Amino acid sequence: MNDLSSPPVALTAANYKSDYKPIWCPGCGDFTVLGAITKALAMLQLPPHEVAVVSGIGCSSRIPAYTTCYGFHGVHGRALAAGTGLKVSRPDLTVLVTGGDGDGYSIGGNHFIHACRRNVDLTYIVMDNHVYGMTKGQASPTTEPDWDNKLSPGGTGVRSFHPLVIALAAGANFVARAFSGDPNGTAEVIAQGMRHPGFSFIEILSPCVTFRPE
């Protein structure tokens, strides 16, 4: 018989990692972000079946496959729409939405603004590398206007999108920035965002070693 008096076994970060091996470029900051997410889930001791990870398109949007939580890999720019619908219909679930600067601020920019305004209780994690990494290095909304590259010689000349400023203006009441080079600090920020009762926006600077090595 099972000993019902024994305390439950504590969950560790490993309990939230799937058997799929990440296929990001060696040195990509997204490896650290994935580790920070699993550490944050372990900090909160959330059972994997009570967590859903939703993403759109891009390097960072591979996150759901690398966890043991429920996952949904949606279409480009629509991760927040799917995550919002899931949280509203299943408020018992902890919902994380993950993506990148191209997915979240370009085609998904309108959803981003209104997610801040609606304040549905979910956590939005954006891995910002200032470039479209999966599609060979085009300038993204957060790319500096003078960044010189083969696709935009001399730069785009278009001013950068400032997501934290936009989030505050749109009414988000939990706004934070972290850095993939600080895994423990990033995990703590993610845990704080998940504890927050409302929409939490966390931008994580996650350098692309392939297209933005500088």
Side-chain angles (χ1 to χ4, degrees):
M1 295 179 64
N2 293 328
D3 183 4
L4 300 180
S5 63
S6 60
V9 177
L11 295 168
T12 68
N15 294 116
Y16 301 96
K17 295 180 180 179
S18 74
D19 294 331
Y20 291 102
K21 185 178 180 180
I23 58 172
W24 295 306
C25 300
C28 177
D30 293 355
F31 284 103
T32 301
V33 178
L34 172 62
I37 289 172
T38 58
K39 285 181 182 178
L41 291 168
M43 287 179 188
L44 301 179
Q45 288 294 290
L46 295 171
H49 67 277
E50 294 181 5
V51 180
V53 185
V54 180
S55 71
I57 298 296
C59 299
S60 52
S61 295
R62 302 179 189 275
I63 292 282
Y66 302 145
T67 76
T68 56
C69 307
Y70 285 113
F72 182 81
H73 194 168
V75 296
H76 201 189
R78 307 295 185 254
L80 277 173
T84 298
L86 176 60
K87 183 62 181 182
V88 170
S89 62
R90 286 289 305 275
D92 55 305
L93 290 176
T94 295
V95 176
L96 298 178
V97 179
T98 63
D101 46 305
D103 181 63
Y105 306 147
S106 183
I107 193 170
N110 189 55
H111 292 297
F112 171 56
I113 292 171
H114 293 289
C116 294
R117 183 174 66 87
R118 293 188 181 108
N119 199 34
V120 172
D121 186 19
L122 56 83
T123 302
Y124 185 35
I125 300 169
V126 178
M127 284 144 269
D128 189 354
N129 56 17
H130 293 200
V131 73
Y132 281 95
M134 195 172 74
T135 51
K136 310 305 180 186
Q138 300 97 323
S140 84
T142 54
T143 301
E144 299 82 357
D146 59 350
W147 180 60
D148 185 59
N149 62 92
K150 293 180 180 179
L151 298 170
S152 304
T156 62
V158 180
R159 69 179 62 185
S160 302
F161 185 82
H162 295 287
L164 278 72
V165 175
I166 297 296
L168 289 170
N173 52 31
F174 185 101
V175 178
R177 174 181 275 176
F179 171 48
S180 62
D182 176 19
N184 292 329
T186 298
E188 182 59 41
V189 169
I190 292 172
Q192 289 176 15
M194 294 171 66
R195 292 188 190 103
H196 175 73
F199 180 78
S200 299
F201 168 54
I202 302 169
E203 180 181 65
I204 302 176
L205 301 179
S206 181
C208 176
V209 295
T210 299
F211 295 108
R212 297 299 307 268
E214 73 279 10

